[in-house]
Amino acid sequence: AEAEQATAGSPIRAVRTAWSPTASTTRIIVTQSDDGWLDAYVCAPTCTVTNNIGQVWSTAPTNPQNRFDITYESSSGEALLVYGILSTDTTRDIAYRTYVGGTWSAEQYLDDTGHATDVQYSLINLASRKGSDQIGLIGALDK
């Protein structure tokens, strides 16, 4: 049935949904808002929200950008949220969190060593490899 969830606090620009491969009633919905914050709704089947789980910009860009993605590992059922983080730290180009056993991990980082300066990713896409716990990541820089 239709249900209204807690507010994201700002107009929503993008949404990604991932269904668990190991728990048929569990899904994660992540929203990207005008304010640049991501909000994660974990529904199993009722939903709980983690507001401001990651920040992708301070001022919304004029063109549409999906700076995040969410997917599950096929075998373990663990979820991965990846986003182009808003940070001036040159070693924090991409951030990620895992969702395991009902809990989000602390924010962790990937460094794009091909760039010595701070870079901002404007596109993040994930793909889970069927029958495994491998997830592919592709990203595009904001130029």
Side-chain angles (χ1 to χ4, degrees), residues 77-99:
E78 296 176 3
L80 178 66
L81 170 63
V82 179
Y83 46 99
I85 187 170
L86 173 66
S87 172
T88 57
D89 184 330
T90 60
T91 65
R92 295 181 176 183
D93 299 318
I94 295 175
Y96 66 95
R97 294 177 183 262
T98 57
Y99 187 79

Side-chain angles (χ1 to χ4, degrees), residues 53-139:
I53 197 167
Q55 190 176 18
V56 296
W57 61 58
S58 59
T59 303
T62 56
N63 57 326
Q65 298 180 359
N66 290 323
R67 296 186 178 202
F68 73 102
D69 205 358
I70 180 82
T71 195
Y72 280 92
E73 293 178 341
S74 292
S75 297
S76 72
E78 296 176 3
L80 178 66
L81 170 63
V82 179
Y83 46 99
I85 187 170
L86 173 66
S87 172
T88 57
D89 184 330
T90 60
T91 65
R92 295 181 176 183
D93 299 318
I94 295 175
Y96 66 95
R97 294 177 183 262
T98 57
Y99 187 79
V100 181
T103 305
W104 287 103
S105 72
E107 192 172 68
Q108 299 175 67
Y109 308 99
L110 299 174
D111 181 13
D112 181 347
T113 57
H115 301 274
T117 60
D118 180 44
V119 293
Q120 298 296 312
Y121 279 82
S122 58
L123 177 69
I124 298 285
N125 281 326
L126 300 174
S128 181
R129 184 175 185 178
K130 188 174 180 174
S132 79
D133 287 335
Q134 295 176 333
I135 295 174
L137 163 66
I138 189 167

